[in-house]
Amino acid sequence: MNKKASLFHWVIFVIIAALSIVVLVTYTAGDVFKGEGQVYYSHMAKEAEKFDLFLSAASRSLLDDFLVQRAINGGFKAPSAGLSGETECGSVENINLWNKLEGDNGEKICLPAIKDELKEEFKEKIGSYIALYPVNEQVSETFSFVRQPTYDYSLILKKNHISGTAKTPAIFRVIKKGQVQSEYHFYPAFSFNFGYDPEEYLELWKEVQGLKETCQSAPDFKQCLIENKLPDWKIGACQGDFIHQENKWAFCVNRGITYQFAFEIR
């Protein structure tokens, strides 16, 4: 055998030996990590995904309920426990007024701060949804998963879209024989489109101002409102009643969700 053949023979031998060592090490490590360890990780990842989907669905339900309920009350809290739900501007036939005329030219404005209140509502209520999710789930006789969900979210509201990300991670732990074997951290998040603008109130306010300017001097104010309102507007309450007391008028607008409010027009 010449030198080149001999060298080639030894190179092949070294490569085969090296591969044998790699296979041996991989198999040995896998017997510990890829076996039990990988089972732990797989279970935690699945549980985390389930928890994230649960929180996303709960968040959508919470926010939709809040916005729908607020819109039908002019953007404000509904009356509860015998308490009045009216704003500082008052109401007409239990429909909240968005303004109150004062003196000759004065006017008090009562528009809802829906963005800030939505964030407060979410922070206050999401915990009650999370409380419905099991805290521990026994997977076998030897280990279980312990969830530590977060309650505080950073919310970003842009037009008809909202996204939220937890400020601190939810933690899933594998505990075996009283000892933490592994942890899985992730930041729950959600993102969805409402199909309507939660801050439509300012746009509706501007549209009311346009109606006021158009109809203030009209001989038949009601007829002027009917003729000049936008197609998705209705003069009166949403349930069908025409509501008008002195210079206070009720309106109903269907724009993805149903808004009901009243306005005082000089």
Side-chain angles (χ1 to χ4, degrees):
M1 185 181 292
N2 58 34
K3 287 184 179 179
K4 285 186 178 179
S6 177
L7 180 61
F8 180 76
H9 171 79
W10 282 106
V11 167
I12 293 297
F13 177 79
V14 169
I15 290 172
I16 292 172
L19 286 173
S20 299
I21 293 170
V22 169
V23 170
L24 178 63
V25 171
T26 303
Y27 175 78
T28 304
D31 194 36
V32 175
F33 177 74
K34 285 191 176 179
E36 190 175 40
Q38 214 169 43
V39 168
Y40 291 164
Y41 184 87
S42 176
H43 274 298
M44 285 190 294
K46 286 179 181 177
E47 286 299 309
E49 185 179 4
K50 280 163 55 180
F51 183 61
D52 199 33
L53 288 171
F54 169 83
L55 280 181
S56 183
S59 300
R60 180 62 189 259
S61 176
L62 190 163
L63 292 168
D64 269 337
D65 288 349
F66 170 82
L67 291 169
V68 169
Q69 179 269 321
R70 285 302 182 91
I72 201 66
N73 286 285
F76 299 95
K77 290 181 180 179
S80 60
L83 299 175
S84 171
E86 61 178 48
T87 69
E88 291 182 11
C89 292
S91 65
V92 52
E93 296 289 330
N94 296 317
I95 297 176
N96 281 317
L97 282 156
W98 279 2
N99 72 327
K100 182 180 181 181
L101 300 180
E102 298 177 332
D104 293 335
N105 297 304
E107 184 179 26
K108 185 177 184 63
I109 309 300
C110 296
L111 275 177
I114 204 71
K115 188 174 183 178
D116 293 338
E117 292 189 21
L118 179 146
K119 291 181 178 180
E120 285 299 314
E121 178 85 358
F122 185 87
K123 185 176 181 179
E124 178 184 331
K125 296 286 181 65
I126 191 62
S128 62
Y129 281 82
I130 293 174
L132 300 174
Y133 201 82
V135 177
N136 296 288
E137 181 177 330
Q138 195 70 29
V139 178
S140 75
E141 294 180 356
T142 55
F143 67 95
S144 63
F145 299 107
V146 180
R147 300 166 182 79
Q148 294 185 344
T150 183
Y151 293 81
D152 197 9
Y153 274 69
S154 174
L155 298 179
I156 298 174
L157 185 63
K158 289 184 177 178
K159 203 65 178 175
N160 58 353
H161 182 268
I162 190 167
S163 59
T165 305
K167 294 181 180 179
T168 52
I171 303 171
F172 286 66
R173 289 192 180 118
V174 173
I175 299 176
K176 182 178 178 180
K177 297 178 181 178
Q179 298 295 319
V180 176
Q181 301 295 313
S182 184
E183 284 192 351
Y184 185 96
H185 294 218
F186 79 103
Y187 289 80
F190 62 83
S191 177
F192 51 80
N193 192 309
F194 287 114
Y196 54 85
D197 185 358
E199 295 187 280
E200 189 76 19
Y201 298 93
L202 185 57
E203 185 61 32
L204 294 174
W205 170 273
K206 292 177 181 176
E207 290 171 14
V208 169
Q209 302 308 309
L211 280 174
K212 279 174 60 180
E213 290 177 13
T214 302
C215 296
Q216 233 164 8
S217 302
D220 189 334
F221 188 79
K222 177 184 174 182
Q223 188 59 33
C224 180
L225 289 178
I226 293 171
E227 291 174 357
N228 290 279
K229 69 178 181 61
L230 292 173
D232 55 1
W233 277 64
K234 176 188 172 185
I235 311 300
C238 295
Q239 65 269 28
D241 298 331
F242 174 73
I243 295 177
H244 166 224
Q245 287 183 3
E246 297 177 349
N247 55 351
K248 299 172 184 176
W249 299 77
F251 299 95
C252 179
V253 180
N254 194 324
R255 201 162 285 180
I257 54 175
T258 302
Y259 300 88
Q260 186 170 250
F261 55 93
F263 218 87
E264 191 169 9
I265 300 174
R266 196 183 302 275

mmCIF file of all heavy atoms in Angstrom, residues 100-108 247 264-266:
data_model
loop_
_atom_site.group_PDB
_atom_site.id
_atom_site.type_symbol
_atom_site.label_atom_id
_atom_site.label_comp_id
_atom_site.label_asym_id
_atom_site.label_seq_id
_atom_site.Cartn_x
_atom_site.Cartn_y
_atom_site.Cartn_z
ATOM 1 N N LYS A 100 -74.356 69.963 27.586
ATOM 2 C CA LYS A 100 -75.352 70.662 28.394
ATOM 3 C C LYS A 100 -75.151 72.153 28.174
ATOM 4 O O LYS A 100 -74.064 72.688 28.393
ATOM 5 C CB LYS A 100 -75.164 70.317 29.878
ATOM 6 C CG LYS A 100 -76.181 70.968 30.792
ATOM 7 C CD LYS A 100 -75.932 70.568 32.247
ATOM 8 C CE LYS A 100 -76.952 71.190 33.167
ATOM 9 N NZ LYS A 100 -76.711 70.817 34.587
ATOM 10 N N LEU A 101 -76.216 72.811 27.712
ATOM 11 C CA LEU A 101 -76.121 74.244 27.444
ATOM 12 C C LEU A 101 -76.142 75.019 28.751
ATOM 13 O O LEU A 101 -76.916 74.699 29.654
ATOM 14 C CB LEU A 101 -77.271 74.683 26.538
ATOM 15 C CG LEU A 101 -77.332 73.993 25.171
ATOM 16 C CD1 LEU A 101 -78.523 74.523 24.380
ATOM 17 C CD2 LEU A 101 -76.033 74.204 24.401
ATOM 18 N N GLU A 102 -75.279 76.029 28.851
ATOM 19 C CA GLU A 102 -75.173 76.829 30.075
ATOM 20 C C GLU A 102 -75.132 78.307 29.711
ATOM 21 O O GLU A 102 -74.287 78.731 28.911
ATOM 22 C CB GLU A 102 -73.911 76.447 30.859
ATOM 23 C CG GLU A 102 -73.911 74.991 31.328
ATOM 24 C CD GLU A 102 -72.621 74.606 32.028
ATOM 25 O OE1 GLU A 102 -71.570 75.216 31.704
ATOM 26 O OE2 GLU A 102 -72.650 73.707 32.878
ATOM 27 N N GLY A 103 -76.022 79.076 30.300
ATOM 28 C CA GLY A 103 -76.041 80.514 30.028
ATOM 29 C C GLY A 103 -76.381 80.814 28.583
ATOM 30 O O GLY A 103 -76.997 80.008 27.876
ATOM 31 N N ASP A 104 -75.973 81.998 28.137
ATOM 32 C CA ASP A 104 -76.305 82.426 26.774
ATOM 33 C C ASP A 104 -75.511 81.663 25.715
ATOM 34 O O ASP A 104 -76.053 81.266 24.689
ATOM 35 C CB ASP A 104 -76.054 83.930 26.618
ATOM 36 C CG ASP A 104 -77.037 84.741 27.459
ATOM 37 O OD1 ASP A 104 -78.134 84.207 27.732
ATOM 38 O OD2 ASP A 104 -76.701 85.873 27.839
ATOM 39 N N ASN A 105 -74.225 81.490 25.974
ATOM 40 C CA ASN A 105 -73.378 80.847 24.964
ATOM 41 C C ASN A 105 -72.528 79.704 25.522
ATOM 42 O O ASN A 105 -71.738 79.107 24.789
ATOM 43 C CB ASN A 105 -72.443 81.885 24.310
ATOM 44 C CG ASN A 105 -73.221 82.949 23.568
ATOM 45 O OD1 ASN A 105 -74.020 82.637 22.691
ATOM 46 N ND2 ASN A 105 -73.008 84.209 23.940
ATOM 47 N N GLY A 106 -72.675 79.414 26.809
ATOM 48 C CA GLY A 106 -71.850 78.378 27.423
ATOM 49 C C GLY A 106 -72.313 76.965 27.074
ATOM 50 O O GLY A 106 -73.482 76.735 26.754
ATOM 51 N N GLU A 107 -71.412 76.039 27.158
ATOM 52 C CA GLU A 107 -71.751 74.643 26.866
ATOM 53 C C GLU A 107 -70.783 73.716 27.599
ATOM 54 O O GLU A 107 -69.570 73.880 27.528
ATOM 55 C CB GLU A 107 -71.687 74.377 25.355
ATOM 56 C CG GLU A 107 -72.112 72.973 24.965
ATOM 57 C CD GLU A 107 -72.057 72.763 23.452
ATOM 58 O OE1 GLU A 107 -71.259 73.458 22.771
ATOM 59 O OE2 GLU A 107 -72.804 71.910 22.941
ATOM 60 N N LYS A 108 -71.341 72.746 28.314
ATOM 61 C CA LYS A 108 -70.526 71.729 28.973
ATOM 62 C C LYS A 108 -70.472 70.500 28.065
ATOM 63 O O LYS A 108 -71.486 70.067 27.531
ATOM 64 C CB LYS A 108 -71.137 71.343 30.317
ATOM 65 C CG LYS A 108 -70.290 70.367 31.121
ATOM 66 C CD LYS A 108 -70.942 70.094 32.459
ATOM 67 C CE LYS A 108 -70.067 69.188 33.326
ATOM 68 N NZ LYS A 108 -68.779 69.809 33.661
ATOM 69 N N ASN A 247 -85.240 71.224 23.817
ATOM 70 C CA ASN A 247 -84.180 71.269 22.810
ATOM 71 C C ASN A 247 -83.208 70.081 22.937
ATOM 72 O O ASN A 247 -82.072 70.141 22.471
ATOM 73 C CB ASN A 247 -83.410 72.592 22.897
ATOM 74 C CG ASN A 247 -82.869 72.834 24.295
ATOM 75 O OD1 ASN A 247 -83.205 72.104 25.230
ATOM 76 N ND2 ASN A 247 -82.048 73.855 24.452
ATOM 77 N N GLU A 264 -78.128 68.334 23.257
ATOM 78 C CA GLU A 264 -78.916 69.543 23.499
ATOM 79 C C GLU A 264 -78.521 70.596 22.477
ATOM 80 O O GLU A 264 -77.336 70.940 22.346
ATOM 81 C CB GLU A 264 -78.693 70.066 24.926
ATOM 82 C CG GLU A 264 -79.683 71.146 25.307
ATOM 83 C CD GLU A 264 -79.634 71.484 26.807
ATOM 84 O OE1 GLU A 264 -78.714 71.008 27.501
ATOM 85 O OE2 GLU A 264 -80.527 72.218 27.262
ATOM 86 N N ILE A 265 -79.504 71.062 21.737
ATOM 87 C CA ILE A 265 -79.221 71.996 20.638
ATOM 88 C C ILE A 265 -79.948 73.312 20.902
ATOM 89 O O ILE A 265 -81.168 73.347 21.097
ATOM 90 C CB ILE A 265 -79.682 71.390 19.291
ATOM 91 C CG1 ILE A 265 -78.936 70.066 19.045
ATOM 92 C CG2 ILE A 265 -79.430 72.366 18.139
ATOM 93 C CD1 ILE A 265 -79.389 69.305 17.842
ATOM 94 N N ARG A 266 -79.200 74.387 20.949
ATOM 95 C CA ARG A 266 -79.761 75.704 21.267
ATOM 96 C C ARG A 266 -80.663 76.199 20.141
ATOM 97 O O ARG A 266 -80.345 76.064 18.982
ATOM 98 C CB ARG A 266 -78.626 76.702 21.509
ATOM 99 C CG ARG A 266 -79.066 77.964 22.217
ATOM 100 C CD ARG A 266 -77.891 78.910 22.340
ATOM 101 N NE ARG A 266 -76.764 78.313 23.047
ATOM 102 C CZ ARG A 266 -76.621 78.285 24.363
ATOM 103 N NH1 ARG A 266 -77.565 78.776 25.128
ATOM 104 N NH2 ARG A 266 -75.552 77.728 24.913
#
